[in-house]
């Protein structure tokens, strides 16, 4: 078994297959803690975790906070509107001040791709990327993979389709790197305006045909469509998007009988996913959220082995 | 008197190349001969070294007035001297911009006080560089601008650009175009493609450049004006310019050292020192630009020296300023990438970094002439040097070439008749 060597977790592109498997194995052993009546172990007692969120987030922030608390770490939460960033302080200065308060792990979400990388170069504390711009969202992909493995027993050899705004999705990128490293076959599907340039060099298949993406897929990972994309003419209307790419019971007729429906949330009911599908028998959307805590406990634990 | 013995002179403007002695008296070159034997106060042994006319940069940003924390006319002069430049043309994106006679005069007056090298301002095409109303181009010309450009901004309105080119003809004033369709590049941070997609950074398609190059070439065809395309970065632009030259359109063009030495992959890891506009492209573009420099499609190597402070670069990639400093490294990079690789000769380097920029902006400089003030550099090509942050004399240190070892140590610089850099060893 490999040892964890990194100070930070910035993205899945940088990780080896073995490192990803290590996180998933750790998560498996941590999952049980959340099912106990007293949901707490002393693993990170005395460690301080700062949750530094420059973008609105409910799910990810809460999930990290609970993960840290269940490991007995102390947590501090800072969001963009309460920090001094609004006073014109640079990101680096803000973070150096926080580090001067002797923290061990900084979990950061930021709208700028690469912001956690800048942070990781600046501070000695471990940095966990909780989503950076359109770049990566590694813990989301890890919890997606954990859920797939739990439900399907494996990842290698599965056919997984990611549907929606691939171009602007950090979830898609992290999933592509993680899943393909573990041997899955990934297809991305969306309108050409939402497929990134240079996709032919990514280890994925591309289709604009939703039926093609659904047929034969073991897992459909449906991405949230961001309403502001419509303003840049990336698609004409939400209605048209829903007609072409929204997953509803009609389109699901082409799916395999044991297909898994996943979504990183928050969902736009009736846009990228119909309520019947989101709440239906194939959906594991809420289980993803549950697993998120276990995966984040594993990541916090592993990076803390390296943090000073 | 200063006597320089035994240097290898490369002066393509005078079709003079070979070992010559040069005698300087009262700041002026008084003799260039195979062998000069004369007592002089100072004797410089230049055996085994090269003597080139002082380099001319027709595209740099000296930030004064407005951003003196990034660069000043003084610090820019020293950065130029360290890089072998004795003439700089500074772009008008100052604060306030060089869109009126007052700012032109300010720059000339300040530089007269500094007195190290020649600095010629380039005026704006439109007021406040907004692309809407023409500046008083005639008055700018009389005040001494050597060209006009809205550099950094593309004149998006084709009608405005047409009139600027047409109007400037009567002054024989060069129009320099920053070719970028800003609707297409909107908010982009780097070249669009696989690398930008991996990094999750908004891309700038190469067509943002080529569309505007094509437009401006057509406007040059229409107006018969002299057009100069700034900082060519794509292979398609090279091809468009090559074709236009064949068809007799009056166009010249430039590229910068970073466009033939660095590709987009250098941005991996979010290296903001590689964030520049137009963006670094692909290896294929680099090859096409080298070919364009070899066959003369690209006339000039300019620096686009764009100084930015640490806090403007040491930040989130999307927040970081665009730009690379280049005055101190341009000669070294060109020697390394083009001369050592035999793509161009040293004489052709002098054409592209001295002679053609002088010709294109219409200044009577760029040769080493008897009776004129000494203005040349002595270069030791047997030595190399390492680019180190502490040694950069520009106020800003935003270079992607840190720790590169570059050929050619500049031992002496004579500018405006004076020795402004001398080997102290």
């Amino acid at each position: 078994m490999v040892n964890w060597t990194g100070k930070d977790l910035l993205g899945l592109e940088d990780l080896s297959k073995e490192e990803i498997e290590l996180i998933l194995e750790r998560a498996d052993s941590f999952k049980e803690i959340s099912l106990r009546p007293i949901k707490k172990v002393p693993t990170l007692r005395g460690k301080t975790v700062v949750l530094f969120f420059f973008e609105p987030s409910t799910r990810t922030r809460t999930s990290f906070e609970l993960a840290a608390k269940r490991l007995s770490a102390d947590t501090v939460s800072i969001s963009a509107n309460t920090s001094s960033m609004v006073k014109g302080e640079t990101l680096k200065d803000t973070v150096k001040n926080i580090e001067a308060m002797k923290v061990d792990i900084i979990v950061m979400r930021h709208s700028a791709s690469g912001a956690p990388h800048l942070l990781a170069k600046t501070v000695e504390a471990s940095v966990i990327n909780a989503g950076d711009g359109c770049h990566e969202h590694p813990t989301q992909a890890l919890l997606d993979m954990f859920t797939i493995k739990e439900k399907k027993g494996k990842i290698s050899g599965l056919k997984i389709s990611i549907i929606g705004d691939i171009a602007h999705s950090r979830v898609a990128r992290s999933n592509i790197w993680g899943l393909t490293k573990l041997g899955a076959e990934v297809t991305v599907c969306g309108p050409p305006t939402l497929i990134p340039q240079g996709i032919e060099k990514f280890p994925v298949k591309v289709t604009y045909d939703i039926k093609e993406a659904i047929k034969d897929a073991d897992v459909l990972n449906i991405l949230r469509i961001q309403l502001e994309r419509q303003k840049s003419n990336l698609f004409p209307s939400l209605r048209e998007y829903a007609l072409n790419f929204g997953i509803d019971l009609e389109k699901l007729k082409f799916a395999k009988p044991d297909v898994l429906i996943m979504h990183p949330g928050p969902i736009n009911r009736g846009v990228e996913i119909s309520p019947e599908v989101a709440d239906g028998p194939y959906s594991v959307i809420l289980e993803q959220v549950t697993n998120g805590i276990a995966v984040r406990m594993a990541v916090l634990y592993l990076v803390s082995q390296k943090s000073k | 008197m200063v006597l320089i013995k035994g240097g290898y002179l490369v002066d393509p403007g005078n079709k003079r190349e070979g070992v010559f002695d040069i005698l300087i008296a009262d700041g002026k070159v008084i003799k260039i001969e195979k062998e000069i034997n004369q007592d002089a106060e100072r004797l410089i042994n230049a055996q085994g070294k090269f003597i080139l006319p002082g380099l001319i940069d027709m595209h740099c940003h000296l930030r004064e007035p407005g951003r003196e924390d990034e660069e000043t006319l003084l610090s820019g002069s020293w950065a130029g001297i360290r890089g072998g430049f004795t003439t700089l043309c500074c772009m008008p994106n100052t604060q306030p911009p060089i869109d009126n006679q007052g700012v032109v005069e300010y720059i000339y007056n300040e530089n007269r006080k500094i007195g190290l090298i020649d600095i010629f301002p380039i005026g704006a095409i439109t007021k406040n560089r907004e692309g809407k109303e023409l500046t008083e181009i005639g008055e700018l010309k009389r005040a001494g601008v050597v060209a006009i450009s809205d550099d950094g901004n593309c004149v998006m309105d084709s009608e405005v650009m047409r009139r600027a080119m047409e109007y400037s003809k009567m002054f024989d004033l060069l129009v320099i175009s920053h070719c970028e369709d800003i609707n297409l590049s909107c908010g982009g941070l780097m070249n669009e493609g696989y690398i930008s997609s991996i990094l999750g950074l908004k891309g700038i398609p190469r067509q943002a450049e080529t569309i505007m190059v094509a437009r401006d070439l057509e406007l040059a065809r229409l107006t018969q004006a002299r057009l100069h395309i700034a900082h060519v970065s794509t292979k398609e632009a090279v091809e468009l310019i090559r074709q236009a030259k064949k068809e007799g359109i009056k166009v010249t063009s430039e590229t910068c050292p970073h466009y033939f030495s660095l590709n987009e992959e250098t941005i991996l890891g979010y290296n903001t020192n590689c964030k520049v506009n137009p963006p670094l492209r692909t290896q294929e573009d680099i090859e096409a630009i080298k070919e364009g420099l070899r066959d003369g499609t690209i006339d000039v190597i300019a620096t686009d020296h764009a100084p930015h402070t640490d806090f403007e670069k040491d930040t989130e990639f999307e927040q970081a300023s665009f730009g690379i400093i280049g005055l101190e490294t341009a000669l070294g990079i060109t020697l390394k990438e083009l001369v050592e690789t035999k793509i161009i000769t040293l004489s052709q380097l002098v054409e592209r970094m001295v002679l053609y920029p002088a010709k294109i902006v219409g200044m009577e400089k760029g040769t080493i002439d008897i009776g004129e003030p000494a203005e040349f550099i002595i270069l030791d090509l047997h030595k190399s040097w390492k680019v180190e942050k502490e040694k950069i004399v520009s106020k800003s240190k935003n270079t992607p070439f840190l720790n590169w070892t570059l050929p050619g140590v500049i031992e002496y610089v004579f500018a405006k008749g004076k020795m402004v850099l001398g080997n102290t060893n």
Side-chain angles (χ1 to χ4, degrees):
Chain A
M1 195 192 232
V2 292
N3 285 318
W4 185 265
T5 53
K7 170 173 91 77
D8 312 300
L9 175 66
L10 301 178
L12 296 193
E13 193 202 351
D14 320 318
L15 295 191
S16 67
K17 175 181 184 232
E18 290 73 23
E19 286 169 315
I20 294 170
E21 281 170 344
L22 176 65
I23 299 171
L24 297 179
E25 278 160 31
R26 286 283 163 211
D28 202 30
S29 58
F30 279 126
K31 185 169 179 181
E32 171 266 336
I33 294 165
S34 295
L35 306 174
R36 297 179 190 175
I38 295 173
K39 305 176 179 59
K40 213 173 182 89
V41 291
T43 316
L44 294 188
R45 197 165 65 189
K47 300 274 184 191
T48 311
V49 177
V50 175
L51 306 164
F52 207 9
F53 278 65
F54 290 85
E55 269 189 346
S57 159
T58 314
R59 203 176 335 267
T60 307
R61 193 170 50 77
T62 313
S63 178
F64 265 112
E65 186 160 0
L66 286 174
K69 286 189 161 142
R70 285 177 189 172
L71 293 171
S72 301
D74 296 312
T75 62
V76 183
S77 197
I78 305 165
S79 53
N81 50 356
T82 60
S83 82
S84 57
M85 298 296 288
V86 285
K87 296 176 197 160
E89 197 177 32
T90 67
L91 173 64
K92 249 182 121 159
D93 286 334
T94 306
V95 166
K96 278 183 170 167
N97 277 280
I98 288 167
E99 183 169 53
M101 300 177 202
K102 306 296 170 202
V103 305
D104 302 289
I105 300 173
I106 300 173
V107 177
M108 184 163 89
R109 163 163 298 185
H110 200 287
S111 60
S113 300
H117 303 68
L118 175 72
L119 187 59
K121 277 185 270 182
T122 311
V123 301
E124 278 186 30
S126 291
V127 176
I128 299 173
N129 182 1
D132 64 322
C134 303
H135 179 233
E136 284 224 42
H137 190 352
T139 57
Q140 177 68 44
L142 288 164
L143 73 89
D144 292 344
M145 290 158 75
F146 185 89
T147 307
I148 294 169
K149 209 172 167 194
E150 201 177 51
K151 293 286 162 188
K152 296 281 184 190
K154 60 170 187 178
I155 287 175
S156 183
L158 292 183
K159 288 184 161 60
I160 294 162
S161 291
I162 306 174
I163 295 156
D165 182 358
I166 312 298
H168 302 94
S169 174
R170 52 197 177 207
V171 176
R173 281 173 183 70
S174 288
N175 264 288
I176 289 170
W177 299 126
L179 288 167
T180 54
K181 280 176 189 188
L182 295 200
E185 202 180 284
V186 177
T187 298
V188 297
C189 176
T193 44
L194 297 179
I195 301 291
Q197 288 292 310
I199 190 72
E200 65 285 350
K201 292 188 187 163
F202 282 81
V204 297
K205 287 187 196 164
V206 187
T207 177
Y208 308 134
D209 178 356
I210 190 71
K211 282 178 202 161
E212 191 72 28
I214 293 173
K215 182 176 69 129
D216 300 332
D218 298 294
V219 179
L220 299 181
N221 199 346
I222 302 158
L223 302 176
R224 174 181 168 78
I225 203 79
Q226 290 193 313
L227 311 178
E228 66 263 25
R229 303 290 174 215
Q230 188 191 330
K231 288 185 207 127
S232 357
N233 281 315
L234 293 169
F235 53 89
S237 68
L238 289 177
R239 180 177 167 274
E240 176 149 317
Y241 182 85
L243 282 171
N244 287 313
F245 295 98
I247 305 297
D248 53 19
L249 291 177
E250 194 59 34
K251 292 200 188 79
L252 222 48
K253 283 180 186 160
F254 301 98
K256 282 171 85 167
D258 61 346
V259 69
L260 281 191
I261 301 290
M262 303 177 77
H263 190 300
I267 60 176
N268 294 310
R269 287 175 184 267
V271 183
E272 72 269 3
I273 189 165
S274 76
E276 298 77 20
V277 175
D279 305 328
Y282 310 112
S283 167
V284 291
I285 295 173
L286 292 175
E287 285 170 79
Q288 287 174 268
V289 178
T290 306
N291 290 335
I293 294 178
V295 162
R296 287 171 179 128
M297 286 168 84
V299 170
L300 287 165
Y301 166 73
L302 287 169
V303 299
S304 77
Q305 304 304 298
K306 277 283 150 187
S307 66
K308 287 167 190 160
Chain B
M1 280 198 281
V2 182
L3 179 60
I4 300 157
K5 293 284 285 180
Y8 190 93
L9 190 61
V10 182
D11 182 6
N14 284 324
K15 297 199 165 51
R16 184 149 38 197
E17 186 166 340
V19 176
F20 285 93
D21 293 350
I22 300 176
L23 186 65
I24 302 166
D26 299 326
K28 286 185 175 158
V29 174
I30 57 168
K31 267 187 192 173
I32 304 173
E33 285 168 15
K34 282 283 173 196
E35 181 84 44
I36 302 173
N37 289 310
Q38 178 137 12
D39 284 334
E41 286 88 50
R42 182 162 187 147
L43 181 72
I44 295 171
N45 179 6
Q47 267 179 358
K49 291 163 192 173
F50 290 85
I51 300 176
L52 319 180
L55 306 182
I56 298 175
D57 187 10
M58 66 177 289
H59 186 154
C60 68
H61 301 268
L62 298 180
R63 304 297 188 220
E64 190 178 343
R67 284 304 305 271
E68 291 82 354
D69 58 328
E70 291 178 328
E71 199 78 283
T72 60
L73 297 170
L74 178 62
S75 66
S77 292
W78 280 118
I81 289 165
R82 280 291 295 266
F85 289 94
T86 56
T87 306
L88 303 178
C89 301
C90 56
M91 281 292 175
N93 61 338
T94 46
Q95 296 165 13
I98 311 176
D99 64 357
N100 64 79
Q101 187 187 15
V103 185
V104 178
E105 284 176 358
Y106 170 83
I107 290 169
Y108 275 118
N109 286 335
E110 288 304 301
N111 194 46
R112 203 166 294 129
K113 289 182 225 162
I114 296 166
L116 288 167
I117 60 172
D118 280 330
I119 295 177
F120 296 111
I122 292 168
I125 296 173
T126 63
K127 285 178 186 146
N128 213 20
R129 300 170 49 249
E130 283 172 349
K132 291 179 186 144
E133 270 180 83
L134 294 186
T135 54
E136 292 170 329
I137 294 170
E139 185 167 80
L140 285 173
K141 166 81 181 180
R142 279 190 293 279
V145 302
V146 292
I148 53 170
S149 178
D150 274 359
D151 186 67
N153 291 350
C154 182
V155 179
M156 282 297 292
D157 186 324
S158 304
E159 164 74 1
V160 174
M161 190 63 173
R162 174 209 170 145
R163 296 306 175 198
M165 290 168 75
E166 224 163 33
Y167 188 79
S168 304
K169 271 200 321 183
M170 78 173 139
F171 310 110
D172 192 29
L173 193 59
L174 182 72
V175 178
I176 302 175
S177 180
H178 169 112
C179 292
E180 176 186 0
D181 183 331
I182 59 162
N183 294 323
L184 201 50
S185 65
C186 76
L189 304 166
M190 64 172 293
N191 186 46
E192 184 173 276
Y194 177 60
I195 304 292
S196 69
S197 291
I198 284 186
L199 290 169
L201 295 173
K202 187 161 168 36
I204 302 173
R206 49 208 302 110
Q207 285 74 12
E209 171 170 297
T210 53
I211 284 172
M212 279 299 163
V213 169
R215 181 200 73 170
D216 287 343
L217 291 171
E218 284 307 309
L219 290 177
R221 193 199 303 275
L222 171 69
T223 59
Q224 298 286 302
R226 287 205 296 137
L227 170 71
H228 180 79
I229 308 281
H231 43 52
V232 170
S233 75
T234 61
K235 73 168 182 194
E236 292 83 359
V238 176
E239 188 49 41
L240 284 166
I241 295 164
R242 182 176 286 129
Q243 203 53 41
K245 282 187 166 187
K246 272 185 203 156
E247 292 169 23
I249 292 171
K250 288 185 218 157
V251 61
T252 53
S253 67
E254 79 192 22
T255 191
C256 314
H258 41 274
Y259 298 120
F260 56 78
S261 57
L262 300 173
N263 65 36
E264 58 179 352
E265 291 174 31
T266 54
I267 291 170
L268 288 168
Y270 301 96
N271 182 359
T272 55
N273 277 335
C274 293
K275 182 178 175 185
V276 60
N277 190 22
L280 302 177
R281 307 283 184 183
T282 66
Q283 202 54 40
E284 225 181 306
D285 295 293
I286 290 178
E287 299 311 322
I289 284 167
K290 285 180 175 171
E291 177 56 23
L293 282 162
R294 196 195 60 74
D295 74 6
T297 300
I298 302 176
D299 304 87
V300 169
I301 297 165
T303 67
D304 197 3
H305 178 78
H308 291 291
T309 60
D310 275 355
F311 73 84
E312 290 168 299
K313 278 292 191 180
D314 203 0
T315 181
E316 300 94 310
F317 195 88
E318 64 177 46
Q319 296 290 323
S321 301
F322 286 100
I324 288 174
I325 56 167
L327 287 171
E328 292 165 74
T329 50
L331 178 62
I333 299 289
T334 306
L335 287 167
K336 180 181 164 74
E337 300 291 330
L338 302 181
V339 178
E340 285 193 343
T341 54
K342 301 202 185 315
I343 291 166
I344 62 173
T345 62
L346 192 59
S347 173
Q348 287 171 317
L349 176 147
V350 174
E351 289 173 350
R352 285 167 186 24
M353 298 185 82
V354 183
L355 203 56
Y356 296 161
K359 264 190 192 160
I360 290 166
V361 300
M363 53 174 86
E364 299 209 343
K365 300 196 80 173
T367 50
I368 304 173
D369 297 315
I370 291 164
E372 294 295 322
E375 194 144 287
F376 52 80
I377 65 175
I378 302 178
L379 178 69
D380 189 343
L381 284 181
H382 300 296
K383 290 187 189 152
S384 58
W385 61 289
K386 193 170 164 189
V387 184
E388 287 167 295
K389 195 169 181 178
E390 304 71 44
K391 291 190 182 160
I392 292 170
V393 299
S394 168
K395 270 197 167 186
S396 297
K397 318 293 174 192
N398 52 303
T399 173
F401 299 114
L402 279 184
N403 297 321
W404 281 42
T405 298
L406 299 179
V409 170
I410 297 165
E411 300 202 325
Y412 295 87
V413 176
F414 289 81
K416 296 160 81 102
K418 282 183 286 194
M419 192 172 92
V420 289
L421 184 83
N423 190 352
T424 47
N425 301 329

